[in-house]
Amino acid sequence: MKYNQFAFVKTPYDQQVRELLACRFLPADYEQLSLSQLWQALVEAMLPEALTQQAKTAKLAEFAVDEQTTLADFLKTAPTVISAQNFYNVALQLLGYHVHYDYELACPLELMKQNALPFSDQTITDAQALISQTYRLLNTRSKNGQLLIDVLAGKGYFTQFWGQGKFMFFNGKSVPVFDTSKVIREVVYVESDLDTDEDGQSDLLQVSIFRPAESNGQVKVPALYTASPYFGGIIANEKTNHNVDENLTDATVWTNPQYEAKPTVPARQPGPTSSQATETAVHKSSYALNEYLLARGFACVFAGAIGTRGSDGLRVTGAPEETESAKEIIEWLHGDRIAYTDRSRQTEIKADWCNHQIGMTGRSYLGTLQIAIATTGVKGLKTVVSEAAISSWYDYYREHGLVIAPEACQGEDLDKLAETCQSNLWDAGAALKIRPKYEAEQSELLTKEDRATGQYSDFWEARNYRHHTDGIKCSWISVHGLNDWNVKPKNVYKLWQKIKHLPIEHHLFLHQGPHYNINNLISIDFTDLMNLWFCHELLGLDNHAYQQWSTVLIQDNLHPDTWHEEDDWSNDLGQNHQLYFHTNNELTYTPEHKQPLASFTDQGGQVFKQAHLSEAAWQQQFLAGKHEWLGQQLRFVTPVLTKAEHLVGRPVVHLRLAASRPVGQVSVALVELGRRHRLTKTPKFFRDQLQEFGFRFGSQALQEFVPDKETPVKLITKAHMNVQNYADMKKPSAIKPGEFYDLEFALQPTYYEVPAGMQLGVVIYSTDQGMTKRPLKSETYQLDLNNSWLTWSEE
């Protein structure tokens, strides 16, 4: 497995020396030392667990430079040269590798090559070469995935700098010189302009802050803000999710539900000011990347905003009020809004510890709110790192005129998510006040989300952030899983098509996971990249972060330790090809004419319920073409591929189709067929390889996608469409049973290589048990093969 490294900054020798001296790896008198004395001093500096000089020297006997010699014995000979074998044997042991288990002392460079670790095969003959290679070694990823300098930090190396009250940088990144044993954990209450619970008072928004003790007067620090509606806890649904075992509704009854704004109240005049918070934060930081960066001087700020525990108001999933309340936290951090020490609203408190430079982090809903806030252009927000984020709530809960569930959330909708996040109901006093308004809001959300027709409306338009991207002023990083069927990839794809044209610095990471983080993968140094990025954006460090890696990095689906470097992600990366459907179930590049109609009969959820399968198991069997499901689908398969096919962007399907009822839904899946060992759906954890955030400050395990057991099929992408939207995706039309209509719609975007020896398949069906409604009535669909095809782009 390759330990790819994108975050290493090429550094001139004189700068390397300055950094090594500042961090005390290099002794001040290094120029007076012999080569062997210098190597001993450098290695001993990398043994922070040994607390005395005697202990450090004794530990040198634990290292071996070759098959016969310990490092201690080697240094006793006062060598004037150090071979590559000698140096990298010791280097690998410092990096956490074990002789005879991970590599052999006779050939350390083989492991360096195998794991893509940087090395020089030149013999070291002078101090400059030794210092440069040691500098590179400290910036090399260890067996646990972290840089060696971070491994040393986890052993307490930087405690010698605790309390000095200033940032320290190494290779363009902040190192943990802040005292994590004295982190300030406090709560304040930001005053909103909103009155979502309509009690005549502005809503108060609880904010939890975790910041270095040194920010109390010694140094101003930037803030990493995570807008998390889950931070205060979640409410278990009082009822189950919505029933999806129901017939489709004639969508022409659609009435275009409207968005209605909540009231606002005038701002209050500030009162007395205090610099001391009077409430301690009891919740813990919920995001590993934030904890890592907190040890390196970045304050971590969490707020759930309206309706969450400790805050006033109502949850209104995705509405402008949600954006406004989350944005108001940044306004306080930037010095443009009032906050109070407690709910009495008597004493104002300022974020005078903050340098007014704010970045945002978080995944899923937490990433979604970054998009929402960024579109406002709020002052102080310098950058976002938005992971697995929703860019349009319609694209999360709907698709092409249909009600569509996120993966593993069948029956969930806006109202149910609002219920889950209305955590201020946990406080009995707040619940007494808020519950009547909450129940009314729930009723309104249920009505306006319109689960009957699934159509786009003004209500959903108010929850589409992509239509406001012209307001974005901050730099941008998006991260998304190509196998994320919770927040489906078109959320990031359609956003990216707008972001890439804005006059801001922008980057995109696409990985092979589902709804997942990537900061602790073996194959990419994501945490180091983010350290580099935030130092540039929030501390103004000139570390060449903008030039450090490609605009788009995409993880390979066959070899997870390969990341493709691209300038963009779109259909424009490739050339279009058309695949045609044939009567004999073949899928070819050549059309045929005068083919008979093909048909299948959808049975809704009837057979699925009888089979007692999970939704995931059903999908695997259905797409693999298991016999009992063949009557409910049409399958078209290419011959075995003689060369690999690389799909990129959004495939588009054109179907001429007739339904036996005046309503209908159609689903299309593009799949890879053939037995082979595919990657795990989620990364495998290497629990013996822990990554420390700082010294005794929490940790996480290394992980990566790895080849798994042999499977017969892999879903590449899919999509769904309401037949009644054949003429207009935003307006339904009546359809007549038996009459043919032309449907054209795009599948979810992808970046996927189908290897030689496999087959490409298209499965056309109706009910998707895990995502669509599951009708009670059967329905037959006819497909005109002569006027149906799929267009895809090959890189």
Side-chain angles (χ1 to χ4, degrees), residues 230-270:
Y230 307 131
F231 185 69
I234 60 174
I235 301 290
N237 283 349
E238 297 174 355
K239 304 173 184 176
T240 59
N241 280 349
H242 296 292
N243 176 38
V244 297
D245 297 307
E246 61 181 16
N247 290 319
L248 300 177
T249 300
D250 181 354
T252 58
V253 303
W254 171 70
T255 58
N256 190 18
Q258 303 292 302
Y259 156 72
E260 294 181 14
K262 301 293 181 185
T264 59
V265 294
R268 290 164 53 97
Q269 293 300 313

Coordinates of all heavy atoms in Angstrom, one line a residue, residues 230-270:
Y230 N -26.4 18.3 15.2 CA -26.3 17.1 16.0 C -25.5 17.3 17.3 O -25.5 16.4 18.1 CB -25.7 16.0 15.2 CG -26.3 15.7 13.9 CD1 -25.5 15.6 12.7 CD2 -27.7 15.5 13.7 CE1 -26.0 15.3 11.5 CE2 -28.2 15.2 12.5 CZ -27.4 15.1 11.4 OH -27.9 14.9 10.1
F231 N -24.8 18.4 17.4 CA -23.9 18.6 18.5 C -24.5 18.5 19.9 O -23.9 17.9 20.8 CB -23.2 20.0 18.4 CG -22.1 20.2 19.4 CD1 -20.9 19.5 19.3 CD2 -22.2 21.1 20.4 CE1 -19.9 19.6 20.2 CE2 -21.2 21.3 21.3 CZ -20.0 20.6 21.2
G232 N -25.7 19.0 20.1 CA -26.3 18.9 21.4 C -27.1 17.6 21.6 O -27.7 17.4 22.7
G233 N -27.0 16.7 20.7 CA -27.7 15.4 20.8 C -28.8 15.4 19.8 O -29.2 16.4 19.1
I234 N -29.3 14.2 19.6 CA -30.4 14.0 18.6 C -31.6 13.4 19.4 O -31.5 12.6 20.3 CB -30.0 13.2 17.4 CG1 -29.6 11.8 17.9 CG2 -29.0 13.9 16.6 CD1 -29.3 10.8 16.7
I235 N -32.8 13.7 18.9 CA -34.0 13.2 19.4 C -34.4 11.9 18.6 O -34.5 12.0 17.4 CB -35.2 14.2 19.3 CG1 -34.8 15.5 20.0 CG2 -36.5 13.6 19.8 CD1 -34.8 15.4 21.5
A236 N -34.6 10.8 19.3 CA -35.0 9.6 18.6 C -36.5 9.9 18.2 O -37.3 10.4 18.9 CB -35.0 8.4 19.6
N237 N -36.7 9.5 16.9 CA -38.0 9.8 16.3 C -39.2 9.3 17.2 O -39.1 8.1 17.5 CB -38.2 9.3 14.9 CG -37.4 10.1 13.9 OD1 -37.0 11.2 14.2 ND2 -37.2 9.6 12.7
E238 N -40.1 10.1 17.5 CA -41.3 9.7 18.3 C -42.1 8.7 17.5 O -42.9 7.9 18.0 CB -42.1 10.9 18.8 CG -41.3 11.8 19.7 CD -42.1 13.1 20.0 OE1 -43.2 13.3 19.5 OE2 -41.6 13.9 20.8
K239 N -42.1 8.8 16.2 CA -42.8 7.9 15.3 C -41.8 7.3 14.3 O -40.7 7.8 14.2 CB -43.9 8.7 14.5 CG -44.8 9.5 15.4 CD -45.8 10.4 14.6 CE -46.7 11.2 15.5 NZ -47.5 12.2 14.7
T240 N -42.2 6.3 13.6 CA -41.4 5.7 12.6 C -41.3 6.7 11.4 O -42.1 7.7 11.4 CB -41.9 4.4 12.1 OG1 -43.3 4.6 11.6 CG2 -42.0 3.4 13.2
N241 N -40.4 6.4 10.5 CA -40.3 7.2 9.3 C -41.6 7.0 8.5 O -42.4 6.2 8.8 CB -39.1 6.8 8.4 CG -37.9 7.5 8.9 OD1 -37.9 8.4 9.8 ND2 -36.7 7.0 8.4
H242 N -41.8 7.8 7.5 CA -43.0 7.8 6.7 C -43.2 6.4 6.0 O -42.2 5.8 5.6 CB -43.0 8.9 5.6 CG -43.0 10.3 6.2 ND1 -44.1 10.8 6.8 CD2 -42.0 11.2 6.2 CE1 -43.8 12.0 7.2 NE2 -42.5 12.3 6.8
N243 N -44.4 6.0 5.9 CA -44.7 4.8 5.2 C -44.4 4.9 3.7 O -44.9 5.9 3.1 CB -46.2 4.4 5.4 CG -46.6 3.2 4.6 OD1 -45.8 2.3 4.5 ND2 -47.8 3.2 4.0
V244 N -43.7 4.0 3.1 CA -43.4 4.1 1.7 C -44.1 3.0 0.9 O -44.0 2.9 -0.3 CB -41.9 4.0 1.4 CG1 -41.2 5.2 2.0 CG2 -41.3 2.7 1.9
D245 N -44.9 2.1 1.6 CA -45.6 1.1 1.0 C -47.0 1.6 0.6 O -48.0 1.4 1.2 CB -45.8 -0.1 1.9 CG -44.4 -0.7 2.2 OD1 -43.7 -1.0 1.3 OD2 -44.1 -0.9 3.4
E246 N -47.0 2.4 -0.5 CA -48.2 3.1 -1.0 C -48.1 3.3 -2.5 O -47.0 3.4 -3.0 CB -48.4 4.4 -0.2 CG -47.3 5.4 -0.5 CD -47.5 6.7 0.3 OE1 -48.4 6.7 1.2 OE2 -46.9 7.7 0.0
N247 N -49.3 3.4 -3.1 CA -49.3 3.6 -4.5 C -48.8 5.0 -4.9 O -48.9 5.9 -4.1 CB -50.7 3.4 -5.1 CG -51.1 1.9 -5.0 OD1 -50.3 1.0 -5.3 ND2 -52.4 1.6 -4.6
L248 N -48.3 5.1 -6.1 CA -48.0 6.5 -6.6 C -49.2 7.3 -6.8 O -50.3 6.8 -7.1 CB -47.2 6.3 -7.9 CG -45.9 5.5 -7.9 CD1 -45.4 5.4 -9.4 CD2 -44.9 6.1 -7.0
T249 N -49.0 8.6 -6.6 CA -50.1 9.6 -6.7 C -50.0 10.3 -8.1 O -48.9 10.6 -8.6 CB -50.0 10.7 -5.6 OG1 -50.1 10.0 -4.4 CG2 -51.1 11.7 -5.7
D250 N -51.1 10.6 -8.7 CA -51.1 11.4 -9.9 C -50.5 12.8 -9.6 O -51.0 13.6 -8.8 CB -52.5 11.6 -10.4 CG -52.6 12.4 -11.7 OD1 -51.5 12.9 -12.2 OD2 -53.7 12.5 -12.3
A251 N -49.3 13.1 -10.1 CA -48.6 14.3 -9.8 C -49.2 15.6 -10.3 O -48.8 16.7 -9.9 CB -47.1 14.2 -10.3
T252 N -50.2 15.5 -11.2 CA -50.8 16.7 -11.7 C -51.7 17.4 -10.6 O -52.2 18.5 -10.8 CB -51.7 16.4 -12.9 OG1 -52.7 15.4 -12.6 CG2 -50.9 15.8 -14.1
V253 N -51.8 16.8 -9.4 CA -52.5 17.4 -8.3 C -51.6 18.4 -7.6 O -52.0 19.1 -6.7 CB -53.1 16.4 -7.3 CG1 -54.0 15.4 -8.0 CG2 -51.9 15.7 -6.6
W254 N -50.4 18.5 -8.0 CA -49.3 19.4 -7.4 C -49.8 20.8 -7.4 O -50.4 21.3 -8.4 CB -48.1 19.2 -8.3 CG -47.0 20.2 -8.0 CD1 -46.2 20.2 -6.9 CD2 -46.5 21.2 -8.8 NE1 -45.2 21.2 -7.0 CE2 -45.4 21.8 -8.2 CE3 -46.8 21.7 -10.1 CZ2 -44.7 22.9 -8.8 CZ3 -46.1 22.7 -10.7 CH2 -45.1 23.3 -10.0
T255 N -49.5 21.5 -6.3 CA -50.0 22.9 -6.1 C -48.9 23.9 -5.9 O -49.1 25.0 -5.5 CB -51.0 23.0 -5.0 OG1 -50.4 22.5 -3.8 CG2 -52.2 22.1 -5.3
N256 N -47.6 23.5 -6.0 CA -46.4 24.4 -5.8 C -46.4 25.0 -4.5 O -46.6 26.2 -4.3 CB -46.4 25.4 -6.9 CG -45.0 26.2 -6.9 OD1 -44.1 25.7 -6.3 ND2 -45.0 27.3 -7.5
P257 N -46.2 24.2 -3.4 CA -46.1 24.8 -2.0 C -45.1 25.9 -2.0 O -44.0 25.9 -2.6 CB -45.7 23.6 -1.2 CG -46.1 22.4 -1.9 CD -46.0 22.8 -3.4
Q258 N -45.4 27.0 -1.2 CA -44.5 28.1 -1.1 C -43.7 28.1 0.2 O -44.1 27.6 1.2 CB -45.4 29.4 -1.1 CG -46.2 29.5 -2.3 CD -45.5 29.8 -3.6 OE1 -44.7 30.7 -3.7 NE2 -45.6 28.9 -4.5
Y259 N -42.5 28.8 0.2 CA -41.7 29.0 1.4 C -42.2 30.3 2.0 O -42.5 31.3 1.3 CB -40.3 29.2 1.0 CG -39.5 30.0 2.0 CD1 -39.2 29.4 3.3 CD2 -39.0 31.3 1.7 CE1 -38.5 30.2 4.2 CE2 -38.3 32.0 2.6 CZ -38.0 31.5 3.9 OH -37.3 32.2 4.8
E260 N -42.4 30.3 3.3 CA -42.8 31.5 4.1 C -41.8 31.8 5.1 O -41.4 30.9 5.9 CB -44.2 31.3 4.7 CG -45.3 31.1 3.7 CD -46.7 30.9 4.4 OE1 -46.7 31.2 5.6 OE2 -47.6 30.5 3.7
A261 N -41.3 33.0 5.1 CA -40.2 33.4 6.0 C -40.7 33.6 7.5 O -41.9 33.9 7.7 CB -39.6 34.8 5.6
K262 N -39.8 33.3 8.4 CA -40.1 33.5 9.9 C -39.9 34.9 10.3 O -39.2 35.7 9.6 CB -39.2 32.6 10.7 CG -39.4 31.1 10.4 CD -40.7 30.5 10.7 CE -40.8 29.1 10.4 NZ -42.2 28.5 10.7
P263 N -40.5 35.4 11.4 CA -40.4 36.8 11.8 C -39.0 37.1 12.3 O -38.2 36.2 12.8 CB -41.4 36.9 12.9 CG -41.7 35.5 13.4 CD -41.5 34.6 12.2
T264 N -38.6 38.4 12.3 CA -37.4 38.8 12.9 C -37.7 39.9 14.0 O -38.9 40.3 14.0 CB -36.5 39.5 11.9 OG1 -37.2 40.6 11.2 CG2 -36.1 38.5 10.8
V265 N -36.8 40.2 14.8 CA -37.0 41.2 15.9 C -35.9 42.2 15.8 O -34.8 41.9 15.4 CB -37.1 40.6 17.2 CG1 -38.3 39.6 17.4 CG2 -35.8 39.8 17.5
P266 N -36.1 43.5 16.3 CA -35.0 44.5 16.3 C -33.9 44.0 17.2 O -34.1 43.4 18.2 CB -35.7 45.7 16.9 CG -37.2 45.4 16.7 CD -37.4 44.0 16.8
A267 N -32.7 44.5 16.9 CA -31.5 44.2 17.7 C -31.6 44.9 19.0 O -32.0 46.0 19.1 CB -30.2 44.5 16.9
R268 N -31.1 44.3 20.1 CA -31.0 44.9 21.4 C -29.7 45.8 21.5 O -28.8 45.6 20.8 CB -31.0 43.9 22.5 CG -32.3 43.1 22.7 CD -32.0 41.9 23.5 NE -31.4 42.1 24.7 CZ -32.0 42.3 25.9 NH1 -33.3 42.2 26.0 NH2 -31.3 42.4 27.0
Q269 N -29.8 46.7 22.4 CA -28.6 47.5 22.7 C -27.7 46.8 23.6 O -28.1 46.2 24.6 CB -29.0 48.9 23.3 CG -29.7 49.8 22.4 CD -28.9 50.2 21.2 OE1 -27.8 50.5 21.3 NE2 -29.6 50.1 20.0
P270 N -26.4 46.7 23.3 CA -25.5 46.0 24.2 C -25.4 46.5 25.6 O -25.6 47.7 25.8 CB -24.1 46.1 23.5 CG -24.2 47.3 22.6 CD -25.7 47.4 22.2

